[in-house]
Amino acid sequence: MAKGFQTLPGFRDFYPDDCAARNYVFEKWRAVAQRYGFVEYEAPVLEPTDLYKRKSGDEIVHQLFCFTDKGKRDVSMRPELTPSLARMAAARQRDFKKPLKWFSIGQFFRYEKQQKGRGREFYQFNCDILGESSPAVDAELIALSIDLMRDFGFTADDFKIRLSDRNAWTDFATRSGVPDDQLTAFLQVIDKLEREAPEKTAAKLEPLGVSLEAIREFIANGDTASEVITQIRQDLAARGMGDFVEVDLSIVRGLAYYTGAVFEVFDIGKGMRAVAGGGRYDSLVNLIGGVDMPAAGFAMGDMVITDLIRESETPNERLANSIVGSQSIDIFVIVADAEKRAESLQVVQDLRTAGYRTSYAYTDAKVGKQFQSAEQLGAKIAIVVGTEFPTVTIKQLDSREEKTCAISELMEEL
Amino acid sequence: MAKGFQTLPGFRDFYPDDCAARNYVFEKWRAVAQRYGFVEYEAPVLEPTDLYKRKSGDEIVHQLFCFTDKGKRDVSMRPELTPSLARMAAARQRDFKKPLKWFSIGQFFRYEKQQKGRGREFYQFNCDILGESSPAVDAELIALSIDLMRDFGFTADDFKIRLSDRNAWTDFATRSGVPDDQLTAFLQVIDKLEREAPEKTAAKLEPLGVSLEAIREFIANGDTASEVITQIRQDLAARGMGDFVEVDLSIVRGLAYYTGAVFEVFDIGKGMRAVAGGGRYDSLVNLIGGVDMPAAGFAMGDMVITDLIRESETPNERLANSIVGSQSIDIFVIVADAEKRAESLQVVQDLRTAGYRTSYAYTDAKVGKQFQSAEQLGAKIAIVVGTEFPTVTIKQLDSREEKTCAISELMEEL
């Protein structure tokens, strides 16, 4: 195609089937969040680049779609939502009763190497509770993520919540004599624990005065590693969700950002992918907006979860049904006599006003061809308007049953 | 706020109320399009800048958020959807039965001077039919825009469809002896007719060999100016929508782009604003994708329609009810005895599983304060879990009626 334009690498065209799949995920996100009493918000897709630097440091720029706008502002297409949320919550904190229970569904952009489950553009569900520091909030967010997975059709055989507590490690480090200024270095070692050779880890730990054995023992006894972990587990057990949770202290997540409990929704199938993740970040609202406000939240992207749904039987069946359902029409009106086009249009209009998804042929065509169109569009019913109008024929397209009735009785018949 | 970040000029924060209003508009857009048998799609928010230049010429760059990405590509945040649609439809034209009836709801960006009803970022509903050149398609799109306005609560007293036909003007120009190479200049004069002084218009027309009187007469007889206009009006009259349409040949719209019927949804209240607009553009798919495909469509932005809704009684009442409804919870579970928190959590979980929007207090609080929270969140029902559990009290918050029942009977009671 000589003249053809291409979609940018890492960006997606959502043709109707893909868009319906996207909407299915969005609808589940929205429905479960609302069941948990969350309200929806949205922030700008473009923000000052400094907003992201403030949270993540200058290196973040390397993975941003950032530029200077026509007004000489350094701006970025957002890579994440939390800095905007912190800005918004701080700016109007007096206008809302605490805790704020807010969720959002939006698009994000990162200039990254493409790989499976990761594009340069993706949608993300963000769910946060601000203004309350109780572990009950962490448990509520985890429960929401579990119910979300269950609504998609996943079971305890498909995923786990891996729960950890950053403060458990800070306390451990302090008890073990790790100097305060080495804390970040220490957490970096923990973060890499699963991916690095034991000898290398041990070598890094030595100057910090901690043994690999001590760390392994601490991890092995994770269930009781902190009061916060205990409370979260009790809370989730009360909801009948205890089986979904596994304490795994090797989870550290986002080094500079989290301040307490952290968790991941983890696919325990062959993929072993993190589907969602989050935790407590009590310092960010102050860092961004100069207002003290405890906060916790999590995010789920659309790409990994959609892959997982496609690969799993029940979840994929639900998705497939939803795609078909959202794109099918209810009724196709067949213009059997070209002279009756005006009458057919009135029938179409009445059906649409009554709420039916209705289509018809824009140009004259053989009745057989119109029936074909009706079936291709997934119509359940065809209504034939012909010479005998105001009497019409109603035909059920699955059972092939048909009956005639006066147009005035049509709505009652349906 | 010394540390505070600001939202970029022309961009919007959607706090929960604003987001609920946005979603209300989205839902109407989606519902009416689906009733008309349209399916949803979406294109990337970022596209090669050349895509927009191809359609609109190099000057478009002045109003684009455009930049060079880290891979040295000239890219733009999309100012409109149609070029992407043309690209997508051309690329996979063989995969879809014609006509394609596609709609989209997405965000767009233009670096423009800010004014009421116009931001640097806005949402837009795009609705297009591709692969069919019959005026029945133009009529279908106009009917959809009328039903959309009616669903918002507007009546024939609030808005009009202003219908025109670009080809009527081309034919008129040819008949009047306007040279072919002066056609664009001629259309530009027509486009400015309503805003320019008659003397100035007459002076511009003279070298083209057309009199202002001839043009006025042609406009006055617009109803019969072209066969396409006649067919569209007949089609809409058959649907009972004739009263909404007014032929107004002074509408030209987008000089280089449209190739046939064009229309605007026009607010006839004090604002006199164009709420939506569109028309036939049979050359674009070829220009962008090298494939011949007739097309027609229209777009409606979120800002003008939301302003109009807010300013009009019935539409605003519908919006307000929707905002309250979408943010209210159904049930608040009151933990009347801190010892029964675990039991309360189980009740919360059961209610949510049953589909109720349910909240509760994350920390222990006086019962009166919990009732207050319940009312602030718009709950219809409070369920009190106290020492007498497994017996609970169900209280209707509007009527203040209450009754007690065993927890096992709770779902039946609701």
Side-chain angles (χ1 to χ4, degrees), chain A residues 89-125:
Chain A
R92 286 187 50 189
Q93 52 132 344
R94 284 188 189 84
D95 300 343
F96 299 99
K97 288 270 162 203
K98 316 268 176 330
L100 280 58
K101 294 167 69 175
W102 285 10
F103 79 97
S104 184
I105 296 169
Q107 205 169 14
F108 299 86
F109 307 88
R110 291 183 193 168
Y111 199 93
E112 291 188 300
K113 199 166 136 60
Q114 291 172 251
Q115 48 184 287
K116 188 172 162 62
R118 186 169 287 195
R120 290 187 177 162
E121 147 278 312
F122 54 96
Y123 291 98
Q124 202 177 61
F125 172 59

Tab-separated table of all heavy atoms in Angstrom, chain A residues 89-125:
chain	number	residue	atom	x	y	z
A	89	ALA	N	-6.027	15.532	44.827
A	89	ALA	CA	-6.514	15.318	46.193
A	89	ALA	C	-6.018	16.434	47.109
A	89	ALA	O	-6.767	16.949	47.943
A	89	ALA	CB	-6.066	13.955	46.704
A	90	ALA	N	-4.757	16.831	46.937
A	90	ALA	CA	-4.197	17.894	47.779
A	90	ALA	C	-4.899	19.227	47.491
A	90	ALA	O	-5.219	19.989	48.405
A	90	ALA	CB	-2.690	18.022	47.537
A	91	ALA	N	-5.152	19.499	46.213
A	91	ALA	CA	-5.716	20.805	45.840
A	91	ALA	C	-7.119	21.013	46.403
A	91	ALA	O	-7.511	22.135	46.699
A	91	ALA	CB	-5.744	20.940	44.310
A	92	ARG	N	-7.882	19.938	46.559
A	92	ARG	CA	-9.265	20.116	47.030
A	92	ARG	C	-9.578	19.225	48.214
A	92	ARG	O	-10.721	18.774	48.395
A	92	ARG	CB	-10.245	19.842	45.873
A	92	ARG	CG	-10.267	20.983	44.850
A	92	ARG	CD	-11.352	20.794	43.810
A	92	ARG	NE	-12.662	20.505	44.400
A	92	ARG	CZ	-13.730	20.128	43.686
A	92	ARG	NH1	-13.644	19.991	42.390
A	92	ARG	NH2	-14.890	19.882	44.280
A	93	GLN	N	-8.574	19.001	49.060
A	93	GLN	CA	-8.765	18.057	50.158
A	93	GLN	C	-9.895	18.463	51.098
A	93	GLN	O	-10.530	17.614	51.709
A	93	GLN	CB	-7.453	17.887	50.933
A	93	GLN	CG	-6.838	19.186	51.382
A	93	GLN	CD	-6.430	19.125	52.838
A	93	GLN	OE1	-6.850	18.256	53.590
A	93	GLN	NE2	-5.598	20.081	53.228
A	94	ARG	N	-10.168	19.763	51.215
A	94	ARG	CA	-11.221	20.189	52.147
A	94	ARG	C	-12.623	19.949	51.591
A	94	ARG	O	-13.610	20.015	52.313
A	94	ARG	CB	-11.059	21.674	52.479
A	94	ARG	CG	-9.929	21.939	53.449
A	94	ARG	CD	-9.903	23.383	53.918
A	94	ARG	NE	-8.687	23.631	54.666
A	94	ARG	CZ	-7.526	23.948	54.106
A	94	ARG	NH1	-7.433	24.047	52.805
A	94	ARG	NH2	-6.448	24.146	54.856
A	95	ASP	N	-12.723	19.702	50.303
A	95	ASP	CA	-14.046	19.556	49.680
A	95	ASP	C	-14.625	18.152	49.801
A	95	ASP	O	-15.782	17.940	49.435
A	95	ASP	CB	-13.981	19.906	48.177
A	95	ASP	CG	-13.526	21.330	47.955
A	95	ASP	OD1	-13.580	22.117	48.920
A	95	ASP	OD2	-13.116	21.653	46.823
A	96	PHE	N	-13.809	17.220	50.262
A	96	PHE	CA	-14.290	15.833	50.267
A	96	PHE	C	-14.171	15.214	51.657
A	96	PHE	O	-13.197	15.437	52.361
A	96	PHE	CB	-13.490	14.988	49.269
A	96	PHE	CG	-13.623	15.473	47.849
A	96	PHE	CD1	-12.645	16.276	47.274
A	96	PHE	CD2	-14.748	15.148	47.100
A	96	PHE	CE1	-12.780	16.737	45.965
A	96	PHE	CE2	-14.883	15.600	45.791
A	96	PHE	CZ	-13.895	16.399	45.222
A	97	LYS	N	-15.206	14.445	52.030
A	97	LYS	CA	-15.157	13.671	53.261
A	97	LYS	C	-14.105	12.594	53.119
A	97	LYS	O	-14.033	11.919	52.085
A	97	LYS	CB	-16.523	12.994	53.498
A	97	LYS	CG	-17.622	13.953	53.900
A	97	LYS	CD	-17.691	14.111	55.419
A	97	LYS	CE	-18.484	15.381	55.753
A	97	LYS	NZ	-18.174	15.903	57.082
A	98	LYS	N	-13.313	12.390	54.159
A	98	LYS	CA	-12.350	11.301	54.115
A	98	LYS	C	-13.017	10.025	54.635
A	98	LYS	O	-13.871	10.128	55.493
A	98	LYS	CB	-11.123	11.640	54.977
A	98	LYS	CG	-10.612	13.052	54.803
A	98	LYS	CD	-9.555	13.165	53.775
A	98	LYS	CE	-9.135	14.634	53.569
A	98	LYS	NZ	-10.150	15.701	53.801
A	99	PRO	N	-12.638	8.864	54.258
A	99	PRO	CA	-11.648	8.654	53.207
A	99	PRO	C	-12.220	8.873	51.802
A	99	PRO	O	-13.396	8.626	51.566
A	99	PRO	CB	-11.272	7.171	53.404
A	99	PRO	CG	-12.508	6.552	53.969
A	99	PRO	CD	-13.146	7.607	54.822
A	100	LEU	N	-11.370	9.318	50.899
A	100	LEU	CA	-11.711	9.360	49.483
A	100	LEU	C	-11.541	7.949	48.920
A	100	LEU	O	-10.479	7.346	49.091
A	100	LEU	CB	-10.774	10.297	48.726
A	100	LEU	CG	-10.999	11.807	48.772
A	100	LEU	CD1	-10.975	12.332	50.208
A	100	LEU	CD2	-9.925	12.531	47.963
A	101	LYS	N	-12.565	7.450	48.267
A	101	LYS	CA	-12.454	6.145	47.593
A	101	LYS	C	-12.649	6.412	46.108
A	101	LYS	O	-13.781	6.526	45.643
A	101	LYS	CB	-13.511	5.178	48.129
A	101	LYS	CG	-13.294	4.804	49.595
A	101	LYS	CD	-14.501	4.111	50.198
A	101	LYS	CE	-14.715	2.723	49.612
A	101	LYS	NZ	-15.838	2.016	50.316
A	102	TRP	N	-11.568	6.518	45.384
A	102	TRP	CA	-11.618	6.969	43.999
A	102	TRP	C	-11.022	5.921	43.057
A	102	TRP	O	-9.985	5.337	43.353
A	102	TRP	CB	-10.816	8.277	43.837
A	102	TRP	CG	-11.506	9.488	44.391
A	102	TRP	CD1	-12.629	9.519	45.157
A	102	TRP	CD2	-11.092	10.865	44.221
A	102	TRP	NE1	-12.945	10.819	45.467
A	102	TRP	CE2	-12.029	11.660	44.906
A	102	TRP	CE3	-10.021	11.480	43.557
A	102	TRP	CZ2	-11.930	13.051	44.935
A	102	TRP	CZ3	-9.928	12.854	43.587
A	102	TRP	CH2	-10.877	13.639	44.273
A	103	PHE	N	-11.676	5.734	41.932
A	103	PHE	CA	-11.070	4.897	40.897
A	103	PHE	C	-11.075	5.633	39.561
A	103	PHE	O	-11.801	6.608	39.366
A	103	PHE	CB	-11.804	3.557	40.755
A	103	PHE	CG	-13.093	3.620	39.977
A	103	PHE	CD1	-13.125	3.283	38.630
A	103	PHE	CD2	-14.287	3.996	40.586
A	103	PHE	CE1	-14.319	3.336	37.897
A	103	PHE	CE2	-15.473	4.051	39.870
A	103	PHE	CZ	-15.497	3.718	38.532
A	104	SER	N	-10.248	5.139	38.649
A	104	SER	CA	-10.128	5.768	37.343
A	104	SER	C	-9.768	4.718	36.300
A	104	SER	O	-9.088	3.738	36.598
A	104	SER	CB	-9.040	6.852	37.397
A	104	SER	OG	-8.968	7.526	36.164
A	105	ILE	N	-10.245	4.945	35.087
A	105	ILE	CA	-9.892	4.088	33.950
A	105	ILE	C	-9.377	5.007	32.857
A	105	ILE	O	-10.117	5.869	32.380
A	105	ILE	CB	-11.127	3.309	33.458
A	105	ILE	CG1	-11.621	2.349	34.556
A	105	ILE	CG2	-10.812	2.546	32.172
A	105	ILE	CD1	-12.975	1.727	34.268
A	106	GLY	N	-8.123	4.875	32.499
A	106	GLY	CA	-7.580	5.804	31.510
A	106	GLY	C	-6.391	5.222	30.781
A	106	GLY	O	-5.969	4.084	31.036
A	107	GLN	N	-5.849	6.025	29.881
A	107	GLN	CA	-4.762	5.554	29.022
A	107	GLN	C	-3.435	6.181	29.466
A	107	GLN	O	-3.392	7.327	29.898
A	107	GLN	CB	-5.065	5.922	27.569
A	107	GLN	CG	-4.378	5.010	26.568
A	107	GLN	CD	-4.884	5.204	25.156
A	107	GLN	OE1	-5.559	6.198	24.872
A	107	GLN	NE2	-4.574	4.280	24.269
A	108	PHE	N	-2.368	5.398	29.305
A	108	PHE	CA	-1.043	5.830	29.751
A	108	PHE	C	-0.009	5.506	28.694
A	108	PHE	O	-0.249	4.676	27.815
A	108	PHE	CB	-0.713	5.158	31.096
A	108	PHE	CG	-1.706	5.545	32.156
A	108	PHE	CD1	-2.892	4.847	32.299
A	108	PHE	CD2	-1.482	6.653	32.950
A	108	PHE	CE1	-3.842	5.247	33.235
A	108	PHE	CE2	-2.419	7.058	33.883
A	108	PHE	CZ	-3.606	6.341	34.024
A	109	PHE	N	1.148	6.159	28.802
A	109	PHE	CA	2.127	6.116	27.722
A	109	PHE	C	3.541	5.993	28.293
A	109	PHE	O	3.928	6.766	29.166
A	109	PHE	CB	2.010	7.392	26.888
A	109	PHE	CG	0.598	7.637	26.419
A	109	PHE	CD1	-0.294	8.353	27.210
A	109	PHE	CD2	0.143	7.105	25.225
A	109	PHE	CE1	-1.614	8.550	26.806
A	109	PHE	CE2	-1.167	7.291	24.808
A	109	PHE	CZ	-2.042	8.015	25.601
A	110	ARG	N	4.269	5.017	27.802
A	110	ARG	CA	5.679	4.882	28.200
A	110	ARG	C	6.498	4.529	26.985
A	110	ARG	O	6.161	3.589	26.261
A	110	ARG	CB	5.842	3.795	29.277
A	110	ARG	CG	5.230	4.196	30.586
A	110	ARG	CD	5.468	3.149	31.669
A	110	ARG	NE	4.608	3.441	32.817
A	110	ARG	CZ	4.378	2.631	33.834
A	110	ARG	NH1	4.954	1.440	33.849
A	110	ARG	NH2	3.596	2.984	34.826
A	111	TYR	N	7.574	5.280	26.777
A	111	TYR	CA	8.448	4.966	25.652
A	111	TYR	C	9.371	3.837	26.080
A	111	TYR	O	10.431	4.065	26.664
A	111	TYR	CB	9.249	6.194	25.207
A	111	TYR	CG	9.771	6.001	23.801
A	111	TYR	CD1	9.040	6.452	22.703
A	111	TYR	CD2	10.966	5.329	23.565
A	111	TYR	CE1	9.485	6.248	21.411
A	111	TYR	CE2	11.415	5.110	22.274
A	111	TYR	CZ	10.678	5.576	21.199
A	111	TYR	OH	11.119	5.372	19.926
A	112	GLU	N	8.972	2.612	25.789
A	112	GLU	CA	9.716	1.448	26.249
A	112	GLU	C	9.932	0.487	25.104
A	112	GLU	O	9.238	0.546	24.096
A	112	GLU	CB	8.910	0.710	27.325
A	112	GLU	CG	8.792	1.466	28.615
A	112	GLU	CD	8.167	0.614	29.699
A	112	GLU	OE1	7.025	0.168	29.525
A	112	GLU	OE2	8.829	0.401	30.719
A	113	LYS	N	10.851	-0.411	25.319
A	113	LYS	CA	11.014	-1.519	24.394
A	113	LYS	C	9.733	-2.350	24.437
A	113	LYS	O	9.224	-2.688	25.504
A	113	LYS	CB	12.198	-2.384	24.857
A	113	LYS	CG	12.779	-3.286	23.796
A	113	LYS	CD	14.141	-3.802	24.291
A	113	LYS	CE	14.302	-5.300	24.026
A	113	LYS	NZ	14.228	-5.676	22.614
A	114	GLN	N	9.224	-2.678	23.253
A	114	GLN	CA	7.985	-3.447	23.230
A	114	GLN	C	8.239	-4.908	23.586
A	114	GLN	O	9.242	-5.475	23.201
A	114	GLN	CB	7.379	-3.417	21.827
A	114	GLN	CG	6.846	-2.064	21.435
A	114	GLN	CD	6.467	-2.095	19.976
A	114	GLN	OE1	7.129	-1.493	19.152
A	114	GLN	NE2	5.410	-2.818	19.665
A	115	GLN	N	7.294	-5.490	24.294
A	115	GLN	CA	7.344	-6.920	24.551
A	115	GLN	C	5.925	-7.379	24.867
A	115	GLN	O	5.028	-6.568	25.028
A	115	GLN	CB	8.298	-7.227	25.715
A	115	GLN	CG	8.076	-6.341	26.930
A	115	GLN	CD	9.079	-6.607	28.021
A	115	GLN	OE1	9.019	-7.618	28.690
A	115	GLN	NE2	10.021	-5.696	28.192
A	116	LYS	N	5.762	-8.708	24.930
A	116	LYS	CA	4.423	-9.241	25.203
A	116	LYS	C	3.888	-8.657	26.509
A	116	LYS	O	4.588	-8.639	27.520
A	116	LYS	CB	4.478	-10.775	25.304
A	116	LYS	CG	3.090	-11.418	25.402
A	116	LYS	CD	3.178	-12.936	25.306
A	116	LYS	CE	1.924	-13.641	25.817
A	116	LYS	NZ	0.703	-13.313	25.068
A	117	GLY	N	2.658	-8.188	26.468
A	117	GLY	CA	2.042	-7.649	27.675
A	117	GLY	C	2.489	-6.242	28.008
A	117	GLY	O	2.149	-5.710	29.055
A	118	ARG	N	3.290	-5.636	27.122
A	118	ARG	CA	3.726	-4.273	27.398
A	118	ARG	C	3.801	-3.486	26.096
A	118	ARG	O	4.524	-3.868	25.169
A	118	ARG	CB	5.106	-4.316	28.086
A	118	ARG	CG	5.589	-2.962	28.534
A	118	ARG	CD	6.804	-3.094	29.425
A	118	ARG	NE	6.457	-3.613	30.751
A	118	ARG	CZ	7.269	-3.544	31.800
A	118	ARG	NH1	8.471	-3.020	31.689
A	118	ARG	NH2	6.904	-4.014	32.963
A	119	GLY	N	3.043	-2.438	25.968
A	119	GLY	CA	3.089	-1.576	24.798
A	119	GLY	C	3.557	-0.196	25.189
A	119	GLY	O	3.882	0.049	26.350
A	120	ARG	N	3.626	0.683	24.230
A	120	ARG	CA	3.969	2.072	24.549
A	120	ARG	C	2.737	2.848	24.995
A	120	ARG	O	2.833	3.967	25.457
A	120	ARG	CB	4.615	2.732	23.334
A	120	ARG	CG	5.995	2.154	23.094
A	120	ARG	CD	6.780	2.846	22.024
A	120	ARG	NE	8.089	2.219	21.960
A	120	ARG	CZ	8.922	2.329	20.938
A	120	ARG	NH1	8.599	3.071	19.889
A	120	ARG	NH2	10.093	1.737	20.967
A	121	GLU	N	1.614	2.218	24.825
A	121	GLU	CA	0.339	2.793	25.255
A	121	GLU	C	-0.426	1.674	25.900
A	121	GLU	O	-0.368	0.535	25.451
A	121	GLU	CB	-0.344	3.371	24.017
A	121	GLU	CG	-1.843	3.323	23.971
A	121	GLU	CD	-2.360	1.969	23.511
A	121	GLU	OE1	-1.889	1.429	22.494
A	121	GLU	OE2	-3.232	1.442	24.205
A	122	PHE	N	-1.103	1.950	26.985
A	122	PHE	CA	-1.906	0.918	27.635
A	122	PHE	C	-2.984	1.597	28.477
A	122	PHE	O	-2.875	2.782	28.798
A	122	PHE	CB	-1.030	0.017	28.525
A	122	PHE	CG	-0.214	0.777	29.539
A	122	PHE	CD1	-0.658	0.951	30.839
A	122	PHE	CD2	1.006	1.346	29.180
A	122	PHE	CE1	0.094	1.663	31.772
A	122	PHE	CE2	1.759	2.067	30.100
A	122	PHE	CZ	1.302	2.223	31.395
A	123	TYR	N	-4.024	0.857	28.792
A	123	TYR	CA	-5.040	1.360	29.712
A	123	TYR	C	-4.736	0.826	31.105
A	123	TYR	O	-4.127	-0.226	31.258
A	123	TYR	CB	-6.432	0.911	29.288
A	123	TYR	CG	-6.908	1.560	28.012
A	123	TYR	CD1	-6.791	0.906	26.792
A	123	TYR	CD2	-7.477	2.828	28.028
A	123	TYR	CE1	-7.232	1.498	25.620
A	123	TYR	CE2	-7.917	3.428	26.862
A	123	TYR	CZ	-7.790	2.760	25.658
A	123	TYR	OH	-8.224	3.349	24.507
A	124	GLN	N	-5.171	1.588	32.095
A	124	GLN	CA	-4.923	1.157	33.464
A	124	GLN	C	-6.120	1.523	34.338
A	124	GLN	O	-6.702	2.605	34.206
A	124	GLN	CB	-3.660	1.846	33.990
A	124	GLN	CG	-2.987	1.138	35.133
A	124	GLN	CD	-1.703	1.849	35.553
A	124	GLN	OE1	-1.736	2.997	35.954
A	124	GLN	NE2	-0.573	1.162	35.460
A	125	PHE	N	-6.446	0.587	35.201
A	125	PHE	CA	-7.447	0.808	36.249
A	125	PHE	C	-6.688	1.214	37.500
A	125	PHE	O	-5.782	0.497	37.939
A	125	PHE	CB	-8.186	-0.513	36.474
A	125	PHE	CG	-9.135	-0.545	37.642
A	125	PHE	CD1	-10.208	0.327	37.730
A	125	PHE	CD2	-8.962	-1.493	38.641
A	125	PHE	CE1	-11.091	0.254	38.798
A	125	PHE	CE2	-9.848	-1.575	39.709
A	125	PHE	CZ	-10.907	-0.694	39.787
